[in-house]
Structures are given as structure tokens and as C-alpha cells.
Amino acid sequence: MSKFPKDFLWGGAVAANQLEGAYDVGGKGLTIADVLPGGKKRLEMLVNNTVPLDIDKTKYTYPNHEGIDFYHKYEGDIALFAEMGFKTFRTSISWARIFPNGDESTPNEEGLKFYDRLFKECKKHKIEPLVTISHFELPLALTKNYGGWKNRKLIGFFENYCKTIFERYKGLVKYWLTFNEINIALMAPMMTLGLFADINTKDGAKDIFTGIHNQMVASAIAVKLCHKIIPDAKIGNMQILSPIYPYSCDPKDVIKAKLEEQFFSYYCTEVMARGKYAPFSNRIWEDYGAKPDIQPEDFKILQDGTIDFISFSYYKSSTEKAEKDSTRGKGDIMNRVQNPHLPRSAWDWEIDPIGLRVAMNDIYGRFGLPVFIVENGLGANDKVEKDGSINDDYRIDYLRQHISSMAEAIRDGVECMGYTTWGCIDLVSAGTGELAKRYGFIYVDKHDDGSGTQERKPKKSFYWYKKVIESNGENLD
């Protein structure tokens, strides 16, 4: 018998803002992603709250404005995914394609028609779309005019957006996610909340906790709407999941890691899975000197809108220690210390396949809901050989180890719905705005200096993943 369920959803994942391009085509409005410059300073801007809210092409480049032109080339790309045997394809809808400013009452029909075509193309190839409703694509006007998610008015705007897309795509999309990596707001609030705030200040912490609360209320409303409009649909959350190890068995390191894990890994999911804040939330608010603005009616909304499954991205584990460390924060938005027992990628991310098994067991044991790994992959500098081949054995090795670890977690008893590798086709990195950081099974001839033909070319991993899917995870050679 296969280690994986017979209906296991193998596939790949992308985000609209990182590959569609056509950022000002078809009536689309600007999003937060559209004003994020490319290059390594992007991450600094996000962490330090210095993101410019206007496009300035004299100072910066914006690779995502063109992306890999998926907006015009999606048919060929979907055909390549089908050739690999994808059962599902995770992508997102750009809110600003449907409501350019986010607050309109009437949607943009041209934007709706694009996703009609995209989802129908998936279904033609017997690929189930897995759709993220909000993936770092907040309409820019909602930040400029309303101050982002700290403003409760965004709950109503999001509800209108969700109602529109659920009704439009109810015959095409069965699997939905509400907010991508909702917990990243604790580190980089502009990315997902669309607001400038420093969690280490009282006012900043209040804005962040309030913004996340408003998103969780909006998510609960979306869950209830989805179940009403699409009765057979499944809708989940989406978070970064990174098990946090104590640096040593010193009890001070152990409690530091435990508290950080509660804060980062479970603060949001407790609410979205159980419909209420965990008791430890009060201690978090006390320590930061601020708590979210919560309306009395929110408690019932949260209880009535719990998720069907838990989805998450897993790239790496983290390590914490009580004392300061000179390695803290290198290559890591989560500002953890380096684990001396783990190798690191070219972008300085630790590689820890066993951590995926740890994460799956922990979160399933805590909540008892099915899990779905919707991002996992290796960003690398891929080289095209003289004969045109791309021999990404390092990516195959990374994915082989993580799939093996996932299989072990399933044997442990974890109920797992599926696995979608991140960046199944090369795209623009969310963290650094680079095309050079390639994740895909499919190479795209597009480069950070703007050059390239946009030609698609399968890598060695393309044919390897095809065998993995054909064998339902049995053949990892």
C-alpha cells in the first residue's frame, strides 16, 4: 500500500503577484506588491517599515510588474503542470483585479473573466484549483485611504470580495484558503496587513494585534459564506509553520522556544481552528502592553467560522536561545539564531526535512484537523548547461527528503490532504523580489536585469516530480 492516500493532492503553488505580471492590465488596480521594489533591500523595507507607497522607476526596479507573464501564457504553463500529473494547482486571485481599489460595490468584469479562463483551463486538464483569496495582494488604496487592516471597514470590503468570487467560481473551485501566511504580520505587517507598525512599541503592537484580529474575523465570515454558497467546498487558513527548537536543554532556552512557538505558530491558528483565543494570548498582550480592539459580536463570528483544514508553508525550522547571539537574524525574517546541526541554502535558510515531520505531528496533535502542505521548496541559482539542460539535483534531493519526512508523519497518523511545492514554475521571490532565486520545475528565461525571452524549459526535477506523482509518492529515486 502507498504511504499516501489514493486521493492525495499532489501539485504546485504560486501567487498572482509573483508570476502574473500585467500589473496595470485589464482594469487591475495597484496592490502593496506592486510598490515593493525588487532586490535584497525589499526585505529590509518590510521589516523596517520603510516601504515606499508609490512606484518610482527612477530609483527602483519592479520585476513583478512583468513577472513571467503568466497572465498571457497561462495555457501553456497549465499544460506543463498537467504533463507532470498535477492533481491540484495552488494560485491566488488578485483582489485588485476584481475590485481595483478594494472598496467598490461593483466588480471589474474583465478581472473576473481572466480567472474564469484560468480555472476552466485547470479543470480541462483535470487539475483542481486551490485558491488563496488574499496572498500579499492587498489593494494599495485600502492602505492609503483606510490605513490597512487596523480599520474594521476592511472586514466588509473583504466580505463583498469573497461573496463575489464564491458566487462566480462555485462550479470551478472547491478548495480555498483565506489569508496567506497570516502570522507573518507579527514580523512584517505591511506585507499582509498593509500598515506600518513596530510590534515592539505599544501603539504598533496594538495596530498589529487589531489588524490580525480583523483578518481572523474576516476569515471566519468567509468560511461561513463559502459553506453557504459552495456546500461541498473546503476552506482553510494558511500560515508559516516553523517548529522552534531550544538551542540547548538549558530550561531558559526551552521556555524561550516554547513561548516563541506559542506566539508565532499557534496564536492565529488557535482562533481560526477553535473559534476562540487561547489562554496564552492574554500573556502575550500583557507582555507587549497592548491588546486588539475586539467587538462583542466578534466572539460568535469566530466560533461560527472555524476552518475545515490547516494549511501551511514549511521551508525550515527555527532555533531559539534565551541569550543574545551574534548569528541571530542572518538570512531569516524571523530573527532566530542559527542551528549548528543543519546545512544552509544559498539564501542562508536552514534545511531541515525532519522538521516537517515535527511540524505536522505538532499541529495535527494540537488541533486534530487535516493538514495541507501548500508551500515547500528550495530557492537556488539554477544553471542552464550548454546543451540546454538544467540539472537541479540539489532540488530533487531537498524535495525527496521532505516528501520522505511527510510520508513518515502520515505513518505517524497525521491526516494530510496534499502537497504543493512552492514556485512550481520560476517566479519572482516575495522576500527579495528576485528572479534569480528560482524554485521551479520549469525554468523561465527571465532575469533580474529585465533580459530574457520568457521561454519555458523543464528542469531535471520536472521529470523526477512527474514520477513521484505517477507513483503516488512511492518512487522517489
Side-chain angles (χ1 to χ4, degrees), residues 29-36 46 49-54 95-96 99-104 134 136-155 157 188-197 207 211 215:
L30 292 178
T31 69
I32 292 295
D34 293 325
V35 298
L36 277 174
L46 286 165
N49 289 297
T50 57
V51 175
L53 294 184
D54 294 289
W95 187 345
F99 294 98
N101 293 313
D103 61 355
E104 297 92 343
S134 180
F136 304 158
E137 288 148 345
L138 184 72
L140 185 63
L142 295 184
T143 285
K144 289 188 168 184
N145 300 334
Y146 298 93
W149 274 99
K150 67 183 178 184
N151 190 327
R152 281 186 71 90
K153 287 185 178 179
L154 268 68
I155 297 174
F157 300 147
M190 179 53 70
M191 182 78 92
T192 182
L193 297 177
L195 60 89
F196 291 115
D207 284 347
Q215 281 194 335

Side-chain angles (χ1 to χ4, degrees), residues 86-148:
F86 279 20
K87 309 299 182 187
T88 189
F89 171 54
R90 179 188 172 215
T91 189
S92 63
I93 294 173
S94 177
W95 187 345
R97 281 208 193 279
I98 312 303
F99 294 98
N101 293 313
D103 61 355
E104 297 92 343
S105 56
T106 304
N108 170 34
E109 182 62 21
E110 195 167 350
L112 288 168
K113 285 180 177 176
F114 168 69
Y115 293 107
D116 278 332
R117 297 192 297 271
L118 174 59
F119 300 148
K120 285 177 181 176
E121 193 66 22
C122 289
K123 299 294 272 190
K124 184 177 88 173
H125 290 282
K126 298 181 180 178
I127 297 172
E128 286 285 350
L130 168 63
V131 176
T132 313
I133 299 168
S134 180
H135 191 135
F136 304 158
E137 288 148 345
L138 184 72
L140 185 63
L142 295 184
T143 285
K144 289 188 168 184
N145 300 334
Y146 298 93

Side-chain angles (χ1 to χ4, degrees), residues 221-285:
I221 290 170
V223 169
K224 195 170 181 181
L225 258 179
C226 185
H227 288 155
K228 180 180 178 182
I229 296 170
I230 319 173
D232 65 339
K234 299 292 182 185
I235 181 166
N237 71 330
M238 199 290 197
Q239 67 169 88
I240 299 174
L241 191 57
S242 175
I244 303 174
Y245 306 142
Y247 187 79
S248 75
C249 54
D250 183 331
K252 292 177 182 177
D253 288 350
V254 174
I255 193 62
K256 174 72 172 176
K258 179 68 69 179
L259 294 176
E260 283 293 305
E261 197 165 60
Q262 283 184 342
F263 174 60
F264 189 69
S265 297
Y266 300 128
Y267 176 82
C268 297
T269 306
E270 284 281 350
V271 179
M272 302 174 88
R274 301 193 201 276
K276 60 183 179 180
Y277 281 96
F280 62 73
S281 301
N282 290 297
R283 175 63 187 266
I284 290 172
W285 299 332

Side-chain angles (χ1 to χ4, degrees), residues 154-353:
L154 268 68
I155 297 174
F157 300 147
F158 187 76
E159 180 178 3
N160 185 45
Y161 165 47
C162 288
K163 186 173 185 291
T164 300
I165 60 175
F166 290 155
E167 289 180 341
R168 182 73 172 224
Y169 306 124
K170 61 186 176 184
L172 293 170
V173 180
K174 178 180 177 181
Y175 299 104
W176 300 86
L177 309 176
T178 53
F179 293 96
N180 182 70
E181 293 186 337
I182 189 169
N183 52 339
I184 204 173
L186 297 164
M187 278 77 177
M190 179 53 70
M191 182 78 92
T192 182
L193 297 177
L195 60 89
F196 291 115
D198 181 352
I199 200 165
N200 295 308
T201 67
K202 185 175 181 179
D203 289 344
K206 185 174 184 63
D207 284 347
I208 289 170
F209 290 140
T210 297
I212 292 172
H213 173 78
N214 289 340
Q215 281 194 335
M216 292 193 294
V217 170
S219 176
I221 290 170
V223 169
K224 195 170 181 181
L225 258 179
C226 185
H227 288 155
K228 180 180 178 182
I229 296 170
I230 319 173
D232 65 339
K234 299 292 182 185
I235 181 166
N237 71 330
M238 199 290 197
Q239 67 169 88
I240 299 174
L241 191 57
S242 175
I244 303 174
Y245 306 142
Y247 187 79
S248 75
C249 54
D250 183 331
K252 292 177 182 177
D253 288 350
V254 174
I255 193 62
K256 174 72 172 176
K258 179 68 69 179
L259 294 176
E260 283 293 305
E261 197 165 60
Q262 283 184 342
F263 174 60
F264 189 69
S265 297
Y266 300 128
Y267 176 82
C268 297
T269 306
E270 284 281 350
V271 179
M272 302 174 88
R274 301 193 201 276
K276 60 183 179 180
Y277 281 96
F280 62 73
S281 301
N282 290 297
R283 175 63 187 266
I284 290 172
W285 299 332
E286 182 183 315
D287 288 348
Y288 280 93
K291 61 186 300 185
D293 287 327
I294 300 175
Q295 300 301 311
E297 64 269 22
D298 293 348
F299 295 105
K300 187 170 192 315
I301 293 170
L302 293 172
Q303 285 181 341
D304 291 346
T306 54
I307 52 177
D308 298 318
F309 63 91
I310 294 168
S311 84
F312 59 87
S313 60
Y314 177 82
Y315 294 98
K316 59 190 291 296
S317 58
S318 296
T319 304
E320 265 296 0
K321 67 190 310 186
E323 296 180 2
K324 292 182 180 179
D325 190 286
S326 60
T327 68
R328 184 176 292 278
K330 290 187 177 180
D332 189 348
I333 193 174
M334 290 178 277
N335 202 34
R336 312 293 185 202
V337 299
Q338 292 187 6
N339 188 326
H341 302 287
L342 295 174
R344 305 179 75 81
S345 74
W347 268 262
D348 211 23
W349 287 18
E350 287 146 339
I351 298 173
D352 180 15

